[in-house]
Amino acid sequence: MKTIRLTAAQAMVRYLAAQKNADGESYIAGCWAIFGHGNVAGLGEALYGVRDRLPTWRGHNEQTMAHTAIAYAKQLRRDRAMMVTSSIGPGATNMVTACALAYVNRLPVLFVPGDVFAHRGPDPVLQQPENFADGTVTATDTFRPVSRYFDRITRPEQLMTALPRAMRTMTDPADCGPVTLAFCQDVQAEAYDWPEAFFDERIWHRRVPPPDPAELARVADLLKAAKNPVIIAGGGVHYGHATEALRSFAEAHAIPVVETQAGKSALPWDHPMNLGPIGVTGAESANTVCGKADLVLGVGTRFQDFTTGSWSLFANPGRKLVSLNVQAYDAMKHGAKPLCCDAKAGLEALSGALNGKTFDAPPASLKSDWFAKVDPLTDAPKEGNEKPTDMQVVGAVQRAAGPDTVVMCAAGTMPGELHKLWKAGRPGSYHMEYGFSCMGYEIAGAIGIKLAEPDRDVVCFTGDGTYMMANSELATACMMGIRFTLIITDNRGFGCINRLQMGTGGEEFNNLLDKSQHVNPSAIDFVAHAGSMGAKAVKAGSIAELEAHLAKAKDHDGVYAIVLDTDPYPSTPHGGSWWEVGVPEVSERPKVNDARTNYETRRKAQYKV
Ligand SMILES: Cc1ncc(C[n+]2csc(CCOP(=O)(O)OP(=O)(O)O)c2C)c(N)n1
Ligand SMILES: [Mg+2]
């Protein structure tokens, strides 16, 4: 057997550089790294050696650089991923939130935090949390509950099993999620004689599991017996490369489609079978259809509470639930009849089994009525209103965008407004991280999207709260020459949570800056801040000024940051559904008692399985 002598870190990166996707591209597109004592000497030296094949980029914060990696994988529908590495202590635990984000959203990332010395010589090494009762516990144990596959590399040759398992996990459509390979720092630097064959190029094909014939027959029978079914399109429609199959299926059988946050843009907004967004942030058109449906066919959805309105939607008595999902965990949720297979294969097979059956499509007026209500909210104000609403901001961006423009966001007011109001064009033109809804995904995520699809314009929406939580990758974007438009809506605080607080009977408290404990009123200069990191940063005093800047942003070679003061109180008053948030059972405040009474009534109407 021919062998080659390499350190474990050198072997890891050499192996990763040889892994390809079905299009012949490197599956691991590159590595985000912040070095410390736990990875600079071992992995750092190894990454330098492969920088022509597996580039390394430097982030400013471990969590957010991992967000970039996650957005990249999401935008490429999981066809490629990135590696992220940190040192052994705070750098590692900084990445745990991002790892959880990838875990919730079922997205592939390879986390390689450094770890303590396997030989324990210098114990306790700098940054080592010492567990008095368990010698095997280290900081990287915090990744275990949020990793789809976790391993700690304490001997070089373990990589020969760990790395293929890592690749298997990231490329498996059902199990897909983040992998953590905690890499002991002495082991990174240790040499081993590796079989050369370990580094042979390998192609990882996306598995396409077909439906089980009996399961298909059962679901087809249910669907044939239905009168007015509806399809919920989730993120799995994108990840399963099934947007075309969904369109054909919906057209062939005249079944309306509603879209989750992750599913949005599966069909263009103006497709006659696209009834719009579903759920808490949904359109009346979609939620009305769901309320009347006697069969709900979820395709690639996790049935998260924002989708189901905490199960207040789908209230039709006797309504059946079918879940077409590649992951059995999702296919069997909430009493659903499963069709556990690939989304595209499942839709095609189900279409065949339906044998040309068509249903009565809902009236077109449902959609036109919805747009008649909400379109005016997005129009520019007739005369310059001082503080625009978020709806007007969405409208201005929409008027400047093309069908290929990618709008992205994760937390705050905008995910709801965009889900309701944004008219998405081509698949992938709407990128919302709403599994974890993690403040601070936005700016870093925009970099990942742009790296994934350099030819598409990217508009990143961030509130002032999210911007303050994580903005430092803006400097990375500027340094790397990444182009996107950044809209910072400054409503002086956590506007959406303030509205939620009021909606649950609470007093405005600790959300808006002016309603929080302060001696000096907060006065953050977002233009100066973003400008200091290298962005072209401007203030738009009105929607008209925003439109003028959006036009200029198109020709700007870099990040164009537009700051607007917005009104924290209004949001789209139409559409939506109930969302369960625990309201106090006992309070001295009458408003809370009223909210509790309403809560209890809603809970009684909630569908429970
Ligand atoms: C990391 C993280 N912390 C807290 C939250 C809860 N949260 C959701 S939105 C939000 C406020 C967002 O404020 P901002 O970005 O200014 O948006 P706005 O609603 O004001 O438009 C908070 C605190 C979260 N989603 N993520
Ligand atoms: Mg805000």
Side-chain angles (χ1 to χ4, degrees):
M1 183 178 63
K2 271 188 94 179
T3 59
I4 174 166
R5 192 159 176 81
L6 298 169
T7 68
Q10 289 160 359
M12 175 186 271
V13 298
R14 181 182 278 234
Y15 173 90
L16 291 173
Q19 309 308 306
K20 302 279 146 89
N21 68 12
D23 297 327
E25 300 161 318
S26 296
Y27 177 77
I28 298 289
C31 178
W32 286 94
I34 292 183
F35 293 138
H37 68 84
N39 62 344
V40 69
L43 256 178
E45 190 269 349
L47 284 165
Y48 180 79
V50 293
R51 67 196 182 286
D52 55 330
R53 284 171 292 156
L54 198 155
T56 297
W57 307 291
R58 181 190 175 288
H60 281 91
N61 172 291
E62 290 86 355
Q63 179 189 332
T64 46
M65 73 181 183
H67 289 172
T68 300
I70 294 166
Y72 177 85
K74 178 175 168 72
Q75 190 65 21
L76 290 183
R77 300 177 296 180
R78 318 199 291 197
D79 287 346
R80 299 181 77 184
M82 288 175 172
M83 171 180 172
V84 190
T85 178
S86 73
S87 195
I88 75 157
T93 52
N94 268 357
M95 296 199 297
V96 174
T97 299
C99 192
L101 188 160
Y103 186 83
V104 173
N105 287 285
R106 323 271 172 95
L107 292 168
V109 193
L110 178 59
F111 288 94
V112 186
D115 215 322
V116 300
F117 284 83
H119 64 56
R120 300 190 182 175
D123 266 22
V125 62
L126 175 73
Q127 301 178 334
Q128 177 174 346
E130 294 174 274
N131 184 303
F132 300 154
D134 185 341
T136 68
V137 169
T138 78
T140 63
D141 281 291
T142 53
F143 284 80
R144 285 181 193 267
V146 288
S147 296
R148 200 72 70 198
Y149 180 76
F150 177 93
D151 214 340
R152 181 169 293 130
I153 309 303
T154 58
R155 293 176 62 96
E157 61 269 42
Q158 287 171 349
L159 286 178
M160 286 189 286
T161 49
L163 283 169
R165 286 179 195 164
M167 286 299 302
R168 200 283 303 167
T169 305
M170 290 188 288
T171 57
D172 186 306
D175 283 358
C176 184
V179 168
T180 301
L181 298 181
F183 208 172
C184 289
Q185 70 159 286
D186 51 339
V187 181
Q188 291 176 31
E190 233 170 275
Y192 182 77
D193 293 308
W194 306 85
E196 275 199 344
F198 183 54
F199 305 108
D200 287 350
E201 185 175 302
R202 170 149 191 192
I203 296 178
W204 295 83
H205 297 274
R206 196 169 55 84
R207 189 179 306 111
V208 179
D212 170 81
E215 223 171 66
L216 176 68
R218 284 194 291 271
V219 165
D221 284 348
L222 277 177
L223 203 50
K224 281 185 201 156
K227 289 255 166 319
N228 39 8
V230 63
I231 297 168
I232 304 177
V237 173
H238 294 280
Y239 305 143
H241 298 237
T243 53
E244 267 309 307
L246 175 69
R247 178 204 284 263
S248 309
F249 185 85
E251 286 173 359
H253 306 289
I255 305 180
V257 174
V258 298
E259 294 176 327
T260 70
Q261 283 278 22
K264 189 163 164 128
S265 82
L267 294 184
W269 72 278
D270 54 356
H271 188 281
M273 284 300 126
N274 186 350
L275 270 282
I278 182 185
V280 179
T281 52
E284 270 165 19
S285 46
N287 287 351
T288 304
V289 166
C290 290
K292 294 191 174 147
D294 62 350
L295 185 140
V296 175
L297 169 60
V299 183
T301 173
R302 300 187 303 124
F303 297 108
Q304 192 226 46
D305 63 353
F306 261 76
T307 297
T308 64
S310 308
W311 291 102
S312 64
L313 290 172
F314 322 125
N316 197 358
R319 178 268 300 147
K320 306 269 191 302
L321 184 66
V322 176
S323 180
L324 194 179
N325 205 297
V326 73
Q327 168 56 255
Y329 181 93
D330 300 298
M332 310 287 285
K333 267 179 182 167
H334 288 276
K337 297 283 181 284
L339 185 55
C340 187
C341 62
D342 172 74
K344 183 165 175 277
L347 286 168
E348 286 169 357
L350 196 53
S351 188
L354 284 180
N355 224 343
K357 180 172 170 68
T358 57
F359 299 86
D360 294 332
S365 59
L366 267 180
K367 250 174 101 169
S368 50
D369 288 353
W370 167 251
F371 287 118
K373 271 187 187 171
V374 294
D375 277 348
L377 301 170
T378 62
D379 288 345
K382 295 279 173 288
E383 45 213 67
N385 61 342
E386 295 222 329
K387 278 204 176 169
T389 65
D390 293 302
M391 300 161 265
Q392 290 165 341
V393 173
V394 169
V397 175
Q398 181 92 66
R399 290 189 288 280
D404 266 353
T405 305
V406 185
V407 292
M408 69 88 61
C409 192
T413 301
M414 280 304 182
E417 297 297 27
L418 289 167
H419 196 216
K420 280 186 183 183
L421 305 173
W422 188 257
K423 295 173 175 169
R426 199 155 74 76
S429 60
Y430 185 85
H431 182 122
M432 187 64 62
E433 188 285 289
Y434 216 61
F436 218 37
S437 187
C438 184
M439 290 170 74
Y441 176 81
E442 290 86 348
I443 290 171
I447 300 175
I449 296 170
K450 199 63 189 171
L451 290 174
E453 296 199 294
D455 295 337
R456 293 177 85 162
D457 287 336
V458 176
V459 180
C460 168
F461 287 91
T462 158
D464 57 306
T466 273
Y467 182 91
M468 289 305 290
M469 196 170 280
N471 54 57
S472 59
E473 302 307 351
L474 187 52
T476 312
C478 294
M479 188 167 103
M480 287 177 62
I482 307 275
R483 294 177 57 162
F484 60 89
T485 305
L486 174 63
I487 311 278
I488 304 170
T489 44
D490 179 10
N491 57 11
R492 297 189 57 75
F494 302 149
C496 64
I497 307 294
N498 189 59
R499 292 194 300 277
L500 179 62
Q501 186 169 49
M502 295 194 296
T504 51
E507 205 57 59
E508 289 183 80
F509 166 63
N510 207 51
N511 281 308
L512 297 185
L513 292 165
D514 297 328
K515 307 274 182 187
S516 304
Q517 187 70 255
H518 64 276
V519 175
N520 303 305
S522 171
I524 303 155
D525 186 341
F526 289 96
V527 173
H529 191 275
S532 76
M533 283 191 273
K536 161 112 183 128
V538 295
K539 181 101 181 206
S542 64
I543 293 294
E545 284 181 34
L546 170 62
E547 305 213 56
H549 282 302
L550 286 167
K552 285 188 198 154
K554 287 202 173 127
D555 300 322
H556 182 69
D557 195 13
V559 178
Y560 200 106
I562 309 172
V563 183
L564 279 110
D565 292 340
T566 51
D567 189 333
Y569 293 106
S571 66
T572 304
H574 311 295
S577 70
W578 180 61
W579 183 40
E580 180 167 356
V581 173
V583 180
E585 202 167 354
V586 180
S587 172
E588 289 173 358
R589 302 186 57 256
K591 275 190 189 164
V592 176
N593 299 334
D594 290 350
R596 176 71 195 191
T597 307
N598 179 44
Y599 170 78
E600 282 172 9
T601 313
R602 296 295 204 140
R603 281 223 67 195
K604 284 199 192 101
Q606 194 175 32
Y607 168 81
K608 291 184 193 68
V609 168

